Amino acid sequence: MMRDIGVVNKYCKINNKEKEILLGDKKPILILNKKSNNLPNNISYQNHTLGVMLPYTPLHILLFDNDLDILIMTSANISGLPITYKNADVLNSLKNIADYFLLHDRDINIPIDDSIVKVIMNEERVIRAGRGYSPMTFKKNTTNILALGSEFKNTFTISKDSHIFMSQYMGNMNSIQALDNYKMNVNHLKQLYDIKINRIVYDKHPNFWHKDYINEFRCEKIGVYHHHAHIASCMFENNIEDKVIGIAFDGSGYGEDKNIWGGEFLICDYKTFKRVGHLKYMQMPGGDNATKEPWKMAISLINQLDLKDFNFNILNNMKDKDYKFILSMLNNNINCTLTSSMGRLFDGISAILGFTNKITFEGEACIELENLAKQSIYTKEYYKFEIHCINQIFVINTDSIINGILQDMQKHVSKSVISMKFHNTVTEFSYIICTKLRELYNINKVALSGGVFQNDIILANLYKKLRAQKFEVLTHKLLPCNDSSISIGQLIVANNRGEENVCSHSG
């Protein structure tokens, strides 16, 4: 939090649109590019951006009354758990973290995170919808539906008659505390708008968090695939109901073939979808564990090239890793989930180029790769790639991309140039597949959804390339492109399937 717009100008690059958002009445956290490195190095470590907000309560203004310019703020929660908002709970759970507590005599009724927004292509795009932006309300004739949303970056969406309400950001649904917070917020909106639920909509993943929760409801239950919900949410935001080419790029989502999807090209409307393209499947050694240690994805990507006697020690970050054990897992297909995820491809490339850490926040390796690319933003080259048509599905073979990256590393090409070439490659093969799909299906609308489109380079370059070829391109602005939009996509899909059934709730 910075004292005023003058302080923001001192530390960050800011354009007119960004200034308008900062000075507006919603007061979100705004992602800005750093102007200088005068702040301590551990603030937004190895990142070119800062999340900045201005004071939005009298208390904040009082805190800045002592010639302070900047305060570093974070949510009052243990990592991975919901915000702690009751005074007694704060004093108990955060006593080993905070030295002092500033408490209020007025209790908080409903906790809510700060919103996060970003300006891309001079348009405000919501990354996290919280204070000032939620609950979001839309008008559309619906049955009374509760859509449960995703496992990560969760929101839920609930509807009544001609109104749809999307909740604030709920966070990750992997704890009892998160589920309790979720139930409290669902009940709050149900009571506020006197909603009797007739349908429950859930993610088709067989092991999702909601398995027990949905049994509390006696009504029609509809499963919707993750990436169909992504594209449906983008269509809904842009008021489009006919078929589109959907590009869903993210970290993970359960697919029809029981593998983990995330680099998908779909033909879909609100009722149905058809998978018409995807990244070649990659092995994830250790399953979900590979999402926390990107170097394992790097081993997987290189191993699929079948290079004889490749010396992994030439990759500096592999020297202290037990890569031989991971190779054994891969070669014997032991606990190796298959994925077509763009997020995992980004992770692997980032690790090949030197990302060494365990993941401490979602998308960390991908963000580092994007930051590298921005150092060589004017590079226009891209890597060779192959697109195979298998059973009328376009499959992007990434082997030659990985090969090209390794060759550039041997030639001592700058890592920033390599990263930018990789970003250009993703743009190029995405554009080519769209042109092929337009010819086959006579569809000119392309909807872009999924967390990968938080990447400025991918979103802006693919948008411009498609627009140059007269495609109509649909993107997210108000709804986050990440998994926070899944719930509204689920609701819209369910609303277009079948007739309303009667439902009662055990509580």
Side-chain angles (χ1 to χ4, degrees):
M1 181 176 281
M2 296 187 177
R3 178 164 48 84
D4 54 35
I5 199 71
V7 177
V8 179
N9 270 312
K10 181 179 177 183
Y11 292 99
C12 301
K13 299 172 184 175
I14 179 169
N15 61 30
N16 289 335
K17 183 65 177 177
E18 291 163 338
K19 183 177 179 181
E20 175 189 321
I21 294 167
L22 279 176
L23 295 176
D25 58 358
K26 293 181 179 179
K27 294 292 190 292
I29 297 170
L30 179 62
I31 306 298
L32 295 173
N33 289 314
K34 294 177 182 176
K35 182 182 284 186
S36 64
N37 291 314
N38 295 334
L39 294 173
N41 191 46
N42 60 349
I43 299 173
S44 192
Y45 180 65
Q46 288 189 334
N47 204 327
H48 297 160
T49 61
L50 287 171
V52 176
M53 59 178 168
L54 294 181
Y56 57 87
T57 72
L59 176 59
H60 295 144
I61 293 169
L62 287 173
L63 288 173
F64 281 103
D65 205 29
N66 262 339
D67 293 328
L68 283 171
D69 277 348
I70 298 172
L71 287 168
I72 306 302
M73 295 190 171
T74 185
S75 300
N77 67 299
I78 303 297
S79 181
L81 297 182
I83 289 176
T84 309
Y85 67 98
K86 295 180 180 178
N87 287 345
D89 293 342
V90 167
L91 291 169
N92 180 54
S93 64
L94 302 181
K95 62 187 177 184
N96 295 321
I97 297 173
D99 296 312
Y100 299 94
F101 294 89
L102 179 58
L103 305 177
H104 205 290
D105 60 359
R106 184 179 180 184
D107 290 335
I108 296 170
N109 185 31
I110 296 295
I112 189 165
D113 283 273
D114 289 308
S115 296
I116 301 175
V117 305
K118 191 176 186 181
V119 173
I120 306 176
M121 295 188 292
N122 206 41
E123 291 187 294
E124 178 183 8
R125 299 178 192 271
V126 177
I127 304 298
R128 184 173 80 190
R131 176 186 51 75
Y133 291 77
S134 295
M136 292 187 190
T137 306
F138 304 92
K139 279 205 164 188
K140 185 177 178 66
N141 289 328
T142 68
T143 56
N144 290 17
I145 300 172
L146 171 61
L148 301 181
S150 60
E151 182 153 9
F152 301 109
K153 294 184 169 65
N154 178 277
T155 65
F156 65 86
T157 298
I158 194 166
S159 64
K160 178 181 180 179
D161 302 327
S162 60
H163 295 281
I164 295 174
F165 309 97
M166 191 178 92
S167 77
Q168 72 268 35
Y169 171 85
M170 293 280 110
N172 296 344
M173 300 299 299
N174 50 10
S175 67
I176 293 172
Q177 295 93 326
L179 183 56
D180 288 343
N181 181 57
Y182 183 95
K183 289 180 178 180
M184 178 187 72
N185 279 277
V186 169
N187 289 332
H188 173 68
L189 279 185
K190 280 177 60 186
Q191 292 166 12
L192 191 64
Y193 296 107
D194 189 27
I195 300 173
K196 303 290 188 283
I197 301 301
N198 293 317
R199 286 178 175 179
I200 296 291
V201 197
Y202 61 93
D203 189 285
K204 292 278 277 189
H205 196 296
N207 297 315
F208 246 31
W209 63 271
H210 50 55
K211 283 194 301 181
D212 295 327
Y213 180 51
I214 60 175
N215 291 329
E216 296 181 16
F217 296 84
R218 294 187 296 274
C219 62
E220 182 185 12
K221 298 176 176 71
I222 300 172
V224 174
Y225 281 104
H226 184 94
H227 295 99
H228 187 197
H230 257 308
I231 301 305
S233 72
C234 187
M235 293 169 61
F236 174 73
E237 180 173 357
N238 290 276
N239 198 30
I240 299 293
E241 298 198 9
D242 45 341
K243 286 188 183 295
V244 302
I245 298 168
I247 304 181
F249 287 169
D250 65 359
S252 66
Y254 187 74
E256 286 180 305
D257 60 1
K258 301 181 181 180
N259 292 320
I260 303 301
W261 292 5
E264 311 308 312
F265 295 81
L266 311 175
I267 300 294
C268 65
D269 55 22
Y270 287 151
K271 287 186 179 180
T272 62
F273 75 93
K274 178 182 179 182
R275 191 192 198 195
V276 290
H278 61 86
L279 287 179
K280 171 188 170 183
Y281 278 120
M282 304 164 273
Q283 291 174 290
M284 289 174 62
D288 283 346
N289 185 259
T291 67
K292 300 168 185 173
E293 299 185 89
W295 68 271
K296 294 178 180 178
M297 284 308 303
I299 300 294
S300 177
L301 292 174
I302 294 170
N303 188 61
Q304 71 186 17
L305 301 181
D306 200 25
L307 300 173
K308 290 184 179 179
D309 303 319
F310 181 82
N311 181 11
F312 285 93
N313 284 318
I314 67 171
L315 305 176
N316 291 331
N317 59 325
M318 299 296 173
K319 290 178 180 177
D320 61 343
K321 309 293 187 187
D322 190 3
Y323 61 82
K324 291 182 180 178
F325 176 70
I326 299 302
L327 284 170
S328 177
M329 289 178 65
L330 291 165
N331 293 330
N332 292 288
N333 197 25
I334 298 171
N335 192 20
C336 289
T337 308
L338 289 179
T339 183
S340 58
S341 163
M342 185 65 75
R344 298 294 77 78
L345 178 62
F346 267 76
D347 279 353
I349 303 301
S350 186
I352 288 172
L353 294 184
F355 182 86
T356 59
N357 306 332
K358 279 190 175 182
I359 293 296
T360 59
F361 60 87
E362 191 177 353
E364 183 177 2
C366 302
I367 290 170
E368 185 160 314
L369 191 65
E370 180 184 359
N371 287 335
L372 260 180
K374 286 180 177 177
Q375 296 173 28
S376 296
I377 196 71
Y378 297 109
T379 299
K380 300 299 181 188
E381 303 159 87
Y382 57 85
Y383 290 106
K384 178 185 175 184
F385 56 86
E386 297 170 347
I387 299 174
H388 305 295
C389 191
I390 303 171
N391 298 324
Q392 297 184 313
I393 297 176
F394 295 106
V395 179
I396 303 119
N397 189 330
T398 56
D399 289 357
S400 55
I401 300 171
I402 310 303
N403 232 328
I405 289 171
L406 294 175
Q407 288 173 14
D408 271 357
M409 291 181 70
Q410 289 176 338
K411 296 173 187 174
H412 304 290
V413 175
S414 161
K415 289 181 179 180
S416 66
V417 169
I418 294 172
S419 180
M420 190 62 208
K421 285 175 68 175
F422 170 69
H423 280 73
N424 292 341
T425 307
V426 173
T427 299
E428 189 66 21
F429 67 60
S430 301
Y431 154 74
I432 287 176
I433 289 182
C434 285
T435 60
K436 291 178 181 292
L437 293 174
R438 178 164 62 180
E439 289 177 19
L440 282 173
Y441 294 95
N442 196 30
I443 297 172
N444 197 53
K445 295 183 178 72
V446 180
L448 309 179
S449 192
V452 170
F453 289 109
Q454 290 174 194
N455 182 307
D456 302 16
I457 302 171
I458 296 295
L459 177 61
N461 287 0
L462 182 55
Y463 178 90
K464 291 171 186 174
K465 197 167 185 69
L466 290 170
R467 290 287 296 141
Q469 295 302 314
K470 309 301 182 186
F471 281 96
E472 182 180 345
V473 187
L474 316 176
T475 66
H476 288 283
K477 299 182 186 70
L478 182 60
L479 297 178
C481 67
N482 57 50
D483 282 4
S484 288
S485 67
I486 289 291
S487 65
I488 201 160
Q490 290 171 338
L491 187 142
I492 295 302
V493 170
N495 191 57
N496 281 268
R497 292 183 185 170
E499 295 296 321
E500 177 180 342
N501 287 350
V502 176
C503 170
S504 60
H505 184 267
S506 60

